[in-house]
Amino acid sequence: MSHSSHAASMPAGAAAHGHEHHTSLGIPNHKLATWLFIASESMFFAALITTYMVFRYRSVVGPHPDEVVNIPLTTVSTFILLMSSLTMALGVSAAQRGESKAVGRFLLFTILGGIGFLVIQFYEWWHLAHHYGLTWNTNIFGSIFYILTGFHKAHVIFGMIWLAVLAVSAFRGTLRREHAVHVDVAGLYWHFVDVVWIVIFTVVFLLTEAGV
Amino acid sequence: MGERAMDRAHAGHAHAGTREYLKVGVMLFVLTVVEVAVIYLEALRPVLAPVLVGLSAWKFLLVASVFMHLKYDSRVYSGFFAVGVVLAILIALAVTAILA
Amino acid sequence: MATTTLERSFWQALPKPRARTGFWSWVTTVDHKRIGILYFWTALAFFLIGGVEALLIRLQLARPEQDLVAPDLFNQLFTMHATTMIFLAIMPLTAAFFNYFIPLLVGARDVAFPKLNALSYWMFLAGGIFLNSSWVLGGPSDAGWFGYPNYSLSEFNPGLGVDFWIIGLLLAGIGTLVSGFNFIVTILNMRAPGMSLMRMPMFAWATLVTSFLIVFSFPVITVALLLLLFDRVFGTVFFDVFSGADLTLYHHLFWVFGHPEVYIIVLPAMGIVSEVLPVFSRKPLFGYSVMVFSTMLIGFVGFGVWSHHLFTVGMGPVVNTIFSLATMIIAVPTGIKMFNWIGTLFGGRLRFTAAMLYSLGFLALFLIGGLTGVMLSAAPSNTQIHHTYFVVGHFHYVMIGGALFSLMSALHYWGPKMFGRMLDERLGKVAFWTLFVGFNLTFFPMNILGVMGMPRRIYTYSAGMGWDGLNATSTLGALIMAVSILITLYNLVTSLRNGERAPADPWDGRTLEWAIPSPAPEYNFARLPNVSSRDELWVRKHPQLAEGAAVAASAESDGPAEPIAMPGGSYMPLLVSLGLFIAGYGLLYSMPVFVGGIVLSLLGLIGWGFEGDNMRIIQPGGEQ
């Protein structure tokens, strides 16, 4: 035991990321795990979207999906979320160049995009509840509509908290180039949430409006 | 085996540039506008479902390949993601078909 | 996530666990071996609880028209027996061996994410305690381990039993999912130099495929459980028939998870047997690459057979036929494996140790489980024996004959490495034969009872149905099984106290875990091995074998003996799961408590990200 010593004061990075340098596949553990998580999340949202597809027109009382979808509003929020993915991608490449302040700015834009998306989406929830009387207790469409979009919102909110933590580090200048993989994996998560919305936008909104 | 994979990962470090990201951003915007436009075109009505699914798949692939840099990264990531998405789609279609 | 980004921050100034022995060293450990041992003892405790539940069920059914156990309690017993055995006993017991042995088998010093590994264990414990706390908080669920609505809805199942069941499974499920990610990354990315995928021991392959099944199937049951929870707690109408619901959607979601779950349990069992048979036959595993391929095929096809649990709900002949055929196809890779195991034994110099006996028991009993499975896979005959004791007999041949026998084999084979003491071989063999006899006495009669028409899940039956003798036999068998388990427990406890000290390589093993002392030191390998063969240790011990020269050269080029940095303990995994555990009770009793629990676990997560790794430098050999 006398030969072991605590090394909490070791140069950070060297110890913390020692295992990242020699991996069997030559790719970082964090990133591999994040992609596995994303693959797993695909199954989660697929199960919810399947529930939507099976239940959407089974309600015995209205309102039904085709009476309530708001294409213009949702198009705007979709556009905002897509653009937040663009700023996220730019943030990741700034992180890979080690430009800490730029990372902070891009992350801030991304978070603002997330806020914009959420504001419009929550307004839509409020609108559905007050003008159409649609809540998650009203009918089976209401149940799955709020749960599906609600779990997506929860993912957006979690992503914003994650990005905010990184943004604080970036503005303090402590998010250095060797930490780029942390921004990278947060970005992957954010893009995935965006990709899920692309599918929800089509399945829940566009196909309904198109009467398919 | 490890060495070889590492070389590939390092060689493939040339990530997309700002220009490509902006291009994809514009594409996403345009595709979204097209998506919304086509649902009001009477002429397309019979093929609307496949058209909408196709456009959304296109957006999906753009984000996955460029923003999530699958195009430039290790194939391992693409493989796992593809398995997850394909499995998800197959099971979703099967359950929907059985219960329809 | 952003480790070390805020140096000297508040979080890094927090006290770090320093204890190397005693209670706190175990509570804060991130060492995969200690976590494996925690998994082992916890799962063993739940196994005993589930076993007592099974005995009560059998005692009630021993004779017709008994009222030893009330009908309601009977339903709770079979629900909790199944849930406990699947999620809290068998899966965590396999997790115990994943944890202890996967890094050793692939030549790593720990798993890819040691702190996440600790989180997995604490989430499993939280889920297990949460679920079982329902016994004293108003009674557990009686809706079966599948929890089908609408019987599991508040309208028909008031009280909190089903809510405890849902939240308990969600909590434990988080742990399982996290360990799925962790082991995939560990196996793919943490292998020793030269340990190519096709040189990995079969148990590592089985763990890899199992982890993929977890990663892709657990999200689906999460959704099914969440929909049910929202119906019960927040009044959504997903499974309200009067609102137009189709209850079979839940059935599909449940079994899209539920069938891969069977392979999540069975593939590790197959992996264990594939390790034990070669060692005690003194032969390499027969048909290694075909075994690998079969494992992948079983995992893959396992995702396409879920509807064979729903043959009787009226999906129509086309769907039934498709799922019948897909199910029968699984018998092919399984049969291939069976023949490869026999091929491994063939011409070998067999040693009938306790571990070997349990593995041979697996071959015989799992075969019966598989064959009765093929009988069930034919939709027409399934209609006849659906919901009878035939099904109960079938899956217990898979779950006990398959999983439990292989886990017992693993205990006797790997126990000396885990605990540093040899288990008593004589007691082990006695326990094996007792279990083998007791098991067949318990479950073979069930196959006959099922064909005679005895339904599952009935709390009693009338005399004169011709079922009395077989039921009495079955209960007698259950008692004999209990005796066997007690013998094993006695063996375990006495051997750990007074047993002979285990040498590094007690079985003349073939793989890397036997190259290091028993129990394994904290850093596993003083010098990371340079692997050049599938049976690395075997060829190092027998350099006269054909590839000997290359092996000797590779042993020369093992990693350098230098100081090793190992991660120290952390409070954060415990804090995160404690927060979620509290939030679970909050959801049922009080919203402020729920919010408090969530906040606690978020704080734990942020602390996790910023506290740093608490690395320790160890000089190998310095501790001996």
Side-chain angles (χ1 to χ4, degrees), chain C residues 300-328:
Chain C
F300 182 74
V301 182
F303 266 101
V305 300
W306 75 88
S307 287
H308 69 212
H309 295 269
L310 306 172
F311 279 150
T312 56
V313 303
M315 296 181 297
V318 176
V319 176
N320 279 2
T321 308
I322 292 170
F323 281 98
S324 270
L325 289 175
T327 307
M328 290 172 187

Side-chain angles (χ1 to χ4, degrees), chain A residues 53 56-57 71 199-212, chain B residues 39 48-50 52-53:
Chain A
M53 290 302 289
R56 59 185 181 154
Y57 284 117
I71 296 295
V199 176
I200 293 178
F201 181 56
T202 302
V203 171
V204 178
F205 295 88
L206 294 176
L207 286 175
T208 305
E209 180 73 6
V212 184
Chain B
I39 55 179
L48 207 46
L52 283 173
V53 170

Side-chain angles (χ1 to χ4, degrees), chain A residues 1 3-10 12-13 15-17 19 22-30 32-33 36-37 39-41 43-44 47-48 50-51 54-55 58-60 136-140 143-144 147 151 158 161-162 165-166 168-169 172 174-176 179 182, chain C residues 1-8 17-18 20 112-113 177 181 184-185 187-192 212 215-217 219-220 222-223 226-227 230 234-240 242-246 249 253 256 303 565 602 605-606 610 613-619 622-623:
Chain A
M1 214 61 69
H3 290 262
S4 63
S5 62
H6 288 280
S9 57
M10 274 186 70
H17 303 292
H19 57 284
H22 298 287
T23 61
S24 313
L25 296 177
I27 51 181
N29 287 344
H30 279 86
L32 183 54
L36 289 167
F37 174 69
S40 177
E41 286 264 74
M43 291 296 289
F44 179 85
L48 284 172
T50 305
T51 309
V54 171
F55 281 164
R58 293 189 71 108
S59 306
V60 237
W136 65 9
N137 311 118
T138 310
N139 60 24
I140 204 161
S143 294
I144 185 56
I147 293 293
F151 271 108
F158 182 80
I161 296 175
W162 188 353
V165 171
L166 288 173
V168 169
S169 312
R172 287 196 185 185
T174 51
L175 194 73
R176 288 184 303 268
H179 304 128
H182 294 301
Chain C
M1 289 289 160
T3 328
T4 72
T5 41
L6 295 180
E7 281 164 65
R8 302 279 166 272
R18 290 276 189 259
R20 309 281 312 121
F113 303 101
L177 258 174
F181 302 132
I184 294 174
V185 177
I187 293 171
L188 290 181
N189 236 5
M190 305 285 285
R191 283 167 284 136
F212 272 108
V215 161
F216 290 127
S217 70
V220 182
T222 305
V223 167
L226 284 171
L227 299 182
F230 276 89
F234 300 108
T236 54
V237 294
F238 288 109
F239 302 117
D240 178 23
F242 296 110
S243 301
D246 184 342
L249 177 76
L253 292 181
V256 166
F303 266 101
L602 278 179
L605 269 184
I606 296 176
F610 286 115
D613 278 354
N614 193 18
M615 300 300 277
R616 292 170 59 250
I617 305 292
I618 302 171
Q619 193 70 45
E623 290 178 292

